[in-house]
Amino acid sequence: MGDRQIRISCNTRDTLPFSQIEEFQGNLKKRSKKEISKIITSILKYGFSFPFFVWKDGERNRCLDGHGRLLALSEMTKRHYFLDEAGKLTDDDDESLSIPDLPVVYIDAADESEAKQKVLRLNSCYGVLDVDGFAEFASGLDIDWDELMLPSGDLFELPGLIDDGSGTLRKSLAERFIVPPLSVFRASAGYWQERKKAWLALGIQSEKGRDDAMLAHMAALAEKAGGGKLASESIFDPVLCEIMYRWFCPQNGRILDPFAGGSVRGLVAGRLGFKYTGIDLRDEQIEANREQIAIAGDNPPEWICGDSRQMDSFLPSDFLCNFVFSCPPYADLEVYSDLPEDLSNMDYAEFREAYFDIIKKACSCLENDSFAAFVVGEARQKTNGGAYYGIIPDTVRAFEDAGLRYYDEMVLVTQIAAKALTVAEGFVKSRKIGKVHQNILVFVKGDPVKAASKCKLDMGELADAINDAELSGETDKSETNA
């Protein structure tokens, strides 16, 4: 940028030097480094098109609106920021830009309480309300909360799940939910649980359409073991869906799910702009899923009722997908129906044959230079001393037989841990360990470098995520808990 001074492009009666405007919001909002960089970029491109709203508190000029711009200006006094020829934000050690007197409009407020209430009626472009900061900020205020709904309809906008009006989702760092690309995911982590709550708040009910006998049994175990209620652990984790889709499927790509089950994988795909085709045997499950289809917005998933062993007979002859993603039955651990073609009804030899066949047919629909991922877990045999069936190694063999290579493995450590599994007696008697994890197995068809190049990720986002995890100790905790 050639100018050495920031441009002012709005006219107001009053101006103030930057040094005389005080921040007022405290920790009400969190803004990431990337969001501050966006504000700096906006200032360099457009200058100041809107004034700061200032409450004159005696001799103090306290900023009611424009807090993000104050943070950006503070950064701009420390370094020289400019836009390079490609319009990308860059900085160096040169003298920082001169900040002119800033346009202000004075807002009347009788006292600090009234000033804070006025702040809550303003909605900044960057950042979301932080729960802890909000509690501190609003402490002691007598507020009619119904008057403070944000444009989304909620007081707290949930990152990544708010439509911007165009039918697509905004994609800031927080909204894209990029977690460190490490081998252990902790579903019990606070950030994971907040993200999961945000997804489920949309109304996803993936358990609908299922025989709930297994769910009731698990809930009873949870209550007996820990005194708590098992709320939604039976629902396939929407956060895991989001990570897998963003990491391993091209933007707007097509996902094939040969063991569709509940609605969550399809609804998450739809909300994120992916095309989704899921296949499930049971009419009642498909109908229950379709009852929730509005959650996906203008990009509804497709659910097909049928036997995935016959998918070549009902999918279009030219059907191609960019990502195969599913969670198959864990042998006979949970029986989903009494249909003879249901894999959960078969003995393991029959299960294995059908399982290999379905994986082979799904992979034949997968475009070359693409990824596939299955979320799998082991199950114990009813005989043979309760030894594992070997579902995980058989899944690897099935994909390798289909021409793919075993490429990545992650472990999802689940939330229910000690509450839902009563393992003490069984461990003492037979040394059977209570499972509190699932395996995410990733395979590649063709060239992994070419496959990865189709799935665009921002290097800066990943670097920020890894750095944040290291600072918070998440990496060490995950390795310890694993």
Side-chain angles (χ1 to χ4, degrees), residues 20 35 80 109 122 170 188 259 266 296 314 333 362 368 386 427 441:
Q20 293 184 22
E35 288 169 332
H80 173 231
L122 301 170
R170 300 190 297 268
S188 61
F259 300 101
F314 52 77
L333 177 65
N368 201 35
F427 178 75
L441 310 180

Side-chain angles (χ1 to χ4, degrees), residues 51-221:
F52 290 83
F53 288 179
V54 171
W55 168 46
K56 203 164 187 61
D57 179 18
E59 298 299 316
R60 303 171 69 184
N61 300 298
R62 309 183 73 179
C63 182
L64 304 188
D65 185 54
H67 185 65
R69 286 176 288 166
L70 286 184
L71 293 175
L73 288 171
S74 178
E75 286 298 313
M76 294 171 75
T77 63
K78 302 171 186 175
R79 299 277 294 171
H80 173 231
Y81 287 90
F82 61 97
L83 303 179
D84 63 18
E85 292 182 357
K88 184 177 180 181
L89 183 64
T90 310
D91 65 284
D92 60 28
D93 293 325
D94 201 355
E95 184 180 349
S96 61
L97 295 180
S98 173
I99 300 175
D101 286 356
L102 301 170
V104 300
V105 170
Y106 290 110
I107 305 298
D108 291 334
D111 51 29
E112 185 169 305
S113 176
E114 184 178 338
K116 286 187 173 184
Q117 293 193 46
K118 291 189 175 184
V119 167
L120 293 173
R121 286 168 171 78
L122 301 170
N123 181 27
S124 176
C125 294
Y126 299 102
V128 294
L129 292 181
D130 175 69
V131 175
D132 293 333
F134 177 83
E136 176 187 346
F137 182 87
S139 177
L141 298 184
D142 182 16
I143 297 175
D144 182 356
W145 298 110
D146 291 336
E147 295 181 0
L148 297 176
M149 293 296 105
L150 299 181
S152 66
D154 299 309
L155 181 60
F156 296 95
E157 295 196 68
L158 297 170
L161 306 181
I162 306 303
D163 199 300
D164 64 5
S166 65
T168 58
L169 299 177
R170 300 190 297 268
K171 289 181 170 62
S172 70
L173 171 61
E175 289 164 345
R176 284 181 58 84
F177 192 73
I178 300 297
V179 299
L182 305 174
S183 61
V184 176
F185 298 154
R186 294 193 313 111
S188 61
Y191 65 85
W192 189 292
Q193 285 299 305
E194 286 304 309
R195 192 68 174 182
K196 183 174 180 180
K197 288 176 185 175
W199 276 110
L200 299 184
L202 295 175
I204 296 174
Q205 295 177 287
S206 194
E207 73 278 10
K208 288 187 68 174
R210 295 177 59 179
D211 179 351
D212 63 359
M214 178 70 171
L215 307 186
H217 175 64
M218 291 298 288
L221 280 177

Side-chain angles (χ1 to χ4, degrees), residues 406-471:
Y406 185 27
Y407 197 69
D408 277 320
E409 180 184 19
M410 287 82 80
V411 172
L412 175 67
V413 181
T414 55
Q415 181 187 10
I416 57 178
K419 288 190 177 181
L421 299 174
T422 51
V423 299
E425 182 179 350
F427 178 75
V428 169
K429 187 181 296 184
S430 63
R431 294 303 186 271
K432 290 179 181 175
I433 301 295
K435 279 178 62 64
V436 293
H437 75 277
Q438 294 170 297
N439 296 71
I440 303 126
L441 310 180
V442 180
F443 305 87
V444 64
K445 181 177 183 179
D447 186 335
V449 175
K450 291 180 180 177
S453 70
K454 299 177 183 179
C455 310
K456 302 296 184 184
L457 286 175
D458 187 287
M459 184 67 74
E461 290 177 344
L462 287 172
D464 285 347
I466 294 170
N467 183 58
D468 289 347
E470 289 176 345
L471 290 175

